Amino acid sequence: MPILGLHHIAIICSDYHASRRFYTDILGCRFLRETYRADRDSYKCDLLLPTPHSLSPTPSPQIELFSFPAAPPRPSYPEARGLRHLALAVSDLDAEVLRLQAAGIVVEPIRLDDETGQRFTFFPDPDGLPIEFYEASPNSLTPHP
């Protein structure tokens, strides 16, 4: 069975409401549904990542945002074992950096990918999860190592 594409990314957050605002208001994810699971004292929220249809033949991937009481923090930034970071393609990196900074988000200096020549930068979500904005155009989307 061939893989059709990325379906979702699951993120556990410490402050559910702050993270939900960050992923919807700052990153532009679209709210799909929310469930409160009383037996776990946990929220689960499904968010749709913004993906222009011309860039992907499959439906846009989702973020599953979870809250769990007393979830341990991420061990280090960003070199912990496991998922390293979440990379999102943008068409105008300079404009996105200015937008993030206007929202009070600290953004690392823009770097150049030696392999592809594309520009990228990192910034944290409310829990310090490293998020990358990777500048790409519909004609030059290439994997980032």
Side-chain angles (χ1 to χ4, degrees):
M1 244 190 230
I3 293 173
L4 298 176
L6 178 65
H7 184 268
H8 72 268
I9 298 157
I11 298 171
I12 298 172
C13 60
S14 63
D15 182 332
Y16 172 75
H17 299 289
S19 291
R20 180 178 159 185
R21 280 190 304 274
F22 175 82
Y23 283 96
T24 56
D25 297 349
I26 301 296
L27 296 188
C29 294
R30 190 177 65 164
F31 175 82
L32 295 176
R33 71 191 132 272
E34 174 180 78
T35 305
Y36 178 72
R37 301 171 302 177
D39 59 322
R40 296 181 182 185
D41 190 22
S42 169
Y43 282 97
K44 177 187 181 279
C45 179
D46 294 323
L47 304 167
L48 191 65
L49 278 165
T51 304
H53 293 292
S54 63
L55 297 181
S56 175
T58 59
S60 296
Q62 297 177 26
I63 290 179
E64 290 182 343
L65 189 60
F66 291 93
S67 68
F68 291 109
R74 183 178 173 85
S76 70
Y77 180 93
E79 305 304 335
R81 217 175 290 147
L83 181 66
R84 185 172 182 186
H85 61 265
L86 173 61
L88 303 170
V90 299
S91 60
D92 184 343
L93 187 60
D94 295 315
E96 292 304 317
V97 166
L98 290 174
R99 189 177 64 79
L100 291 171
Q101 290 171 334
I105 296 169
V106 176
V107 181
E108 293 183 3
I110 293 174
R111 296 186 253 170
L112 189 65
D113 185 324
D114 293 335
E115 302 284 325
T116 66
Q118 299 298 113
R119 298 179 331 136
F120 65 98
T121 190
F122 287 93
F123 58 95
D125 84 343
D127 284 301
L129 175 68
I131 298 179
E132 176 183 357
F133 272 176
Y134 187 82
E135 191 170 56
S137 67
N139 298 331
S140 68
L141 281 178
T142 54
H144 179 66

